[in-house]
């Protein structure tokens, strides 16, 4: 490289570094650092996703593999695009509406803290390998152009990663990602077009290279290449930084637009790298394959442009590693440190700890990269994505699409067995069969067993049944069971158990707010915000013409919730928990009103078990106070026994026992006192 090369590189690095420092000013708290405070748009999401996925593996690694296998190298970027589509079509909406910021939080809510911790640790291994692959790309790039030692090249690469992540978080990764994406696609796209032109067009490649090896998506074997694509799709869906990007936008629609754009843009960069790799194979067959793209840039592009392209390649791999390290740091801090070490850490201290964790991650990955240089860069990336997908993909699907159906011990067994299956498959399966299939197969088998056993467990052990089946003999067509509770006393679990026994649906605040959002057009997150505040606004829910009344936002919320309650109750018998159906629907149907309460110690334990966080006494009292004030504002008394048909103290009482009490009361009320007993089905 001459002075003009360095000038071009310096200009690019100066511009991108300035963007990273500027973006860091937007980070004021741990929330901004980990999910952008839900302030980002579609462009920022696309920048974060592309800036993370399109790095050394997508450019240098793709050209390296194309040097030997041609279009088989496209699976990395093509699989990334397919992963974006899968996220947009199936996962974006439930993830966004859940309000969850990290991948393990999904598992914690569905399967419990031990499973979430295991998911964090196991998926962290895959993320760590991705960072290692990017550092390997950086080492190859820097040593090819400067001749410095691998250790020095690693230090420079990691130093740049720290600048972008430590001072920017999601804003840094997203803003730099947008800038980097534009520069990268211009630079690498120019290289691809140049290679295409220099070789005389497509005929110059097809006439000189064997079609079966260079112009097939399956030149490495159908199983191997399909496994590579599948690993990208599953790895994308289970990678923290991509989930984080989806939930960081202002609206769900913006997340979808960003994902659609990524699905189109990401595969294009792979095509350019493929033509460069094949060109270098034809004209420089004796070079190291990892140097195909860097050497093409230096030899075939104008010096000033070449310097800029080399710099943006460095920024690309730095952006990918920094984005992955951001997501990995968020998981370790939120799901390990915050849960097991210090639950009361404030936002600013948590931000500092997050940054320190990222420093440790990058340092460890650089050491592994120096010690493990050798295999193709894309092999590291495929292994990384495959491990993450094998561990988390099937459990994630179950959490999103089959909630409450699979016991956590089966999920834990699935996550532990899947990566073992991948490793064993590498050792015992023929090279033509990707070991990912064995790992995912193990996960599917165990989760399938869990689905069967979970249904049996839920119906026969967790909930006792009346001896003659699911339904009451004289169950009214309009029966509504309305359960109010002191926060943490188990009302929702009891409601679900009762609903299962009666074979009727159970709706809680989550379902009610979702339906209220559809009916009213009010944004879901605003309804969720109001839902637990229980605003103190008096309003007549039974008024038939309230749609015509000009109401302030709080009253709009109450009216929307009233409509949702009526919608579910009118649809048929159901259980409504914390919906205030005891007052919203009291005059319009056959309502059984139940109040569930417990002492503060019991409630605190229950909340800690369900949320994996400490339940302070003042928090319990505050929520109860809000609920009481809400009832008082509409002339009712919350928690007073005379306001309910049945009041139950759940202190030191299991969900099963309490549900049986409710079922017994229903039996006496509607079946004329016929005897019942505890009998498992």
């Amino acid at each position: 490289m001459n002075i003009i090369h360095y000038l071009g590189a310096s200009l690019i690095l100066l511009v991108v570094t300035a963007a990273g420092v500027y973006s860091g000013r937007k980070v004021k708290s741990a929330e901004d650092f980990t999910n952008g405070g839900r302030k980002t748009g579609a462009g920022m999401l696309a920048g974060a996703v592309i800036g993370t996925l399109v790095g050394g593996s997508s450019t240098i690694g793709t050209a390296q593999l194309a040097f030997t296998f041609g279009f088989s190298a496209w699976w990395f970027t093509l699989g990334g695009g397919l992963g974006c589509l899968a996220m947009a079509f199936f996962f974006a909406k439930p993830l966004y509406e859940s309000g969850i910021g990290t991948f393990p939080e999904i598992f914690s809510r569905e399967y419990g803290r031990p499973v979430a911790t295991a998911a964090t640790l196991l998926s962290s291994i895959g993320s760590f390998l991705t960072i290692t692959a990017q550092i390997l790309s950086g080492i190859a790039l820097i040593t090819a152009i400067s001749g410095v030692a691998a250790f020095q090249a690693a230090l420079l690469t990691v130093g740049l990663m720290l600048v972008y992540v430590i001072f920017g978080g999601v804003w840094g990764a997203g803003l730099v990602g947008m800038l980097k994406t534009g520069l990268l696609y211009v630079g690498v796209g120019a290289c691809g077009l140049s290679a295409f032109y220099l070789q005389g067009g497509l005929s110059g490649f097809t006439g000189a290279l064997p079609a079966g090896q260079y112009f097939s998506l399956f030149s490495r074997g159908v199983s191997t290449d399909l496994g590579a694509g599948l690993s990208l799709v599953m790895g994308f869906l289970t990678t923290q930084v991509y989930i984080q990007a989806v939930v960081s936008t202002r609206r769900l629609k913006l997340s979808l637009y960003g994902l659609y754009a990524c699905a189109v843009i990401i595969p294009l960069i792979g095509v350019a790298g493929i033509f460069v790799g094949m060109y270098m194979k034809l004209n420089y067959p004796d070079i190291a394959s990892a140097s195909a793209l860097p050497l093409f840039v230096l030899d075939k592009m104008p010096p000033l442009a070449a310097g800029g392209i080399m710099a943006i390649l460095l920024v690309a791999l730095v952006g990918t590693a920094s984005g992955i390290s951001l997501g990995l740091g968020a998981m370790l801090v939120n799901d390990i440190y915050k849960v097991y070490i210090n639950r009361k850490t404030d936002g600013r201290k948590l931000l500092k700890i997050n940054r320190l964790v990222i420093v440790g991650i990058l340092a460890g990955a650089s050491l592994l990269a120096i010690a493990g240089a050798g295999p193709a860069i894309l092999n590291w990336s495929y292994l990384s994505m495959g491990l993450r997908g094998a561990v988390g993909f099937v459990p994630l699907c179950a959490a999103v699409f089959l909630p409450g159906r699979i016991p956590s011990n089966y999920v834990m067994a699935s996550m532990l067995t899947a990566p073992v299956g991948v490793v064993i498959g590498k050792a015992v399966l023929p090279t033509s069969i990707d070991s990912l299939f064995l790992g995912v197969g193990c996960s599917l088998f165990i989760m399938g067993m869990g689905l069967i056993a979970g249904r049996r467990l839920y119906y026969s052990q967790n909930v006792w049944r009346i001896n003659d089946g699911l339904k009451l003999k004289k169950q009214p067509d309009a029966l509504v069971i309305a359960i109010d509770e002191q926060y943490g006393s188990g009302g929702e679990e009891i409601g679900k158990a009762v609903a299962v026994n009666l074979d009727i649906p159970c709706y809680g605040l989550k379902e009610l707010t979702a339906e209220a959002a559809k009916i009213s057009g009010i944004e879901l997150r605003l309804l969720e915000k109001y839902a637990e505040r229980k605003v103190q606004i008096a309003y007549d829910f039974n008024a038939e013409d309230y749609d015509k009344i000009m109401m302030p936002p709080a009253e709009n919320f109450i009216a929307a919730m009233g409509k949702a309650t009526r919608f579910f109750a009118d649809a048929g018998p159901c259980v409504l928990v914390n919906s205030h159906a005891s007052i919203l629907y009291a005059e319009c149907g056959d309502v059984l009103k139940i109040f569930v309460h417990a002492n503060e110690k019991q409630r605190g334990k229950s909340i800690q078990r369900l949320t994996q966080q400490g339940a302070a006494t003042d928090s319990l009292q505050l929520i109860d106070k809000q609920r009481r004030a809400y009832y008082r504002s509409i002339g009712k008394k919350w928690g007073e026994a005379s306001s309910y048909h049945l009041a139950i103290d759940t202190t030191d009482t299991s969900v099963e026992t309490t549900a049986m009490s409710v079922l017994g009361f229903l039996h006496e009320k509607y079946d004329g006192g016929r005897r019942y007993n505890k009998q498992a089905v």
Side-chain angles (χ1 to χ4, degrees), residues 398-576:
V400 173
F401 303 114
L402 296 170
R405 302 289 295 276
I406 300 178
S408 60
N409 57 326
Y410 284 87
V411 180
M412 180 71 81
S414 167
M415 292 195 308
L416 295 175
T417 304
V420 174
V422 172
V423 173
I424 293 176
K426 287 283 186 183
V428 302
L429 291 177
T431 55
S432 60
I433 301 177
D434 196 305
S435 62
L436 175 66
F437 293 111
L438 179 60
V440 175
C442 291
S443 178
L444 277 171
F445 177 75
I446 294 174
M447 292 291 285
M449 292 177 59
L451 180 60
I452 297 171
R455 296 178 72 175
R456 185 184 303 119
L457 176 68
Y458 190 75
Y459 288 128
S460 67
Q461 294 183 24
N462 283 353
V463 179
W464 295 103
R465 288 190 181 278
I466 306 172
N467 62 356
D468 62 343
L470 298 177
K471 294 181 180 295
L472 291 171
K473 202 170 186 179
K474 299 179 181 178
Q475 177 175 296
D477 292 336
L479 173 65
V480 175
I481 302 173
I483 300 178
D484 291 339
E485 64 159 354
Q486 282 186 322
Y487 182 54
S489 58
E492 186 167 353
E493 292 176 288
I494 294 165
K496 289 179 179 178
V498 170
V500 166
N501 273 279
L502 299 177
D503 196 22
I504 61 177
C506 177
Y507 306 110
L509 278 178
K510 181 179 179 180
E511 292 79 14
L512 283 161
T513 51
E515 185 62 34
K518 294 178 184 178
I519 292 173
S520 66
I522 300 174
E523 195 170 342
L524 178 62
R525 63 183 182 87
L526 297 178
L527 282 163
E528 290 173 338
K529 180 180 178 182
Y530 276 117
E532 275 304 331
R533 287 176 59 190
K534 299 297 184 295
V535 290
Q536 300 180 37
I537 299 293
Y539 190 73
D540 179 8
F541 293 96
N542 292 322
E544 296 179 356
D545 60 345
Y546 59 73
D547 283 333
K548 303 175 183 178
I549 302 175
M550 297 299 294
M551 297 177 291
E555 291 180 333
N556 277 323
F557 154 72
I558 297 174
M561 292 296 284
K563 261 192 169 184
T565 300
R566 283 175 171 273
F567 173 81
F568 287 128
D570 287 342
C574 63
V575 178
L576 296 168

Side-chain angles (χ1 to χ4, degrees), residues 57-82:
S57 297
S58 304
T59 53
I60 298 172
T62 296
Q64 178 190 21
L65 193 61
F67 189 86
T68 306
F69 293 105
F71 272 85
S72 178
W74 198 23
W75 278 109
F76 189 85
T77 51
L78 181 61
L82 294 174

Side-chain angles (χ1 to χ4, degrees), residues 602-623:
Q602 177 83 14
R603 293 159 61 200
K605 289 181 179 179
S606 176
I607 294 302
Q608 186 173 353
R609 174 174 59 84
L610 293 174
T611 66
Q612 315 304 324
Q613 298 177 358
T617 299
D618 55 352
S619 297
L620 296 172
Q621 293 175 344
L622 175 61
I623 293 175

Side-chain angles (χ1 to χ4, degrees), residues 70-157:
F71 272 85
S72 178
W74 198 23
W75 278 109
F76 189 85
T77 51
L78 181 61
L82 294 174
C84 291
L85 289 178
M87 178 71 83
F89 290 153
F90 304 110
F91 294 90
K93 183 177 180 180
L95 290 175
Y96 189 90
E97 292 181 349
S98 72
I100 294 175
T102 71
F103 172 65
E105 283 183 84
I106 301 169
F107 281 36
S108 177
R109 179 178 293 185
E110 177 65 20
Y111 305 122
R113 173 53 50 188
V115 173
T117 301
T120 298
L121 296 176
L122 291 171
S123 63
S124 295
I125 298 173
S127 299
F128 190 76
L129 293 178
T130 296
I131 299 169
T132 301
Q134 304 311 308
I135 296 176
L136 280 170
S137 299
I139 292 173
L141 179 64
I142 293 173
T143 53
I145 63 178
S146 65
V148 300
F151 180 74
Q152 294 171 309
L155 285 180
L156 178 58
T157 304

